[in-house]
Amino acid sequence: MAWFAPAAHRLAHREPAAEAATVRLPWRSRAAWLLAAFLSAQSFLAYAYLAWLPPDYQARGWSSEAAGARGTVA
């Protein structure tokens, strides 16, 4: 708990107006939009791979074991 006193002292002496002026929202940042697009595509592909493909394979006549293990079998 020795770190708490110096940390509390530093937090108590912050100026909220100065800190708010330095914070920028990422709405106009190209890098932020590219990162958001990449993470959205990655999430969509993972969802498609884990949720859509095994039922589709089962509908094509595969066993549930083979459909679920499709990602691990070469």
Side-chain angles (χ1 to χ4, degrees):
M1 295 296 268
W3 57 268
F4 183 71
H9 179 70
R10 275 185 280 181
L11 290 175
H13 287 79
R14 280 190 176 175
E15 294 181 22
E19 184 178 326
T22 60
V23 175
R24 289 182 40 203
L25 294 176
W27 302 122
R28 294 184 181 156
S29 171
R30 183 172 187 251
W33 282 107
L34 288 174
L35 180 64
F38 172 76
L39 292 175
S40 297
Q42 183 272 335
S43 295
F44 175 77
L45 291 174
Y47 177 72
Y49 188 73
L50 296 174
W52 293 346
L53 286 179
D56 187 47
Y57 287 143
Q58 285 179 343
R60 294 174 190 235
W62 291 36
S63 69
S64 59
E65 292 82 16
R70 181 63 179 134
T72 60
V73 178

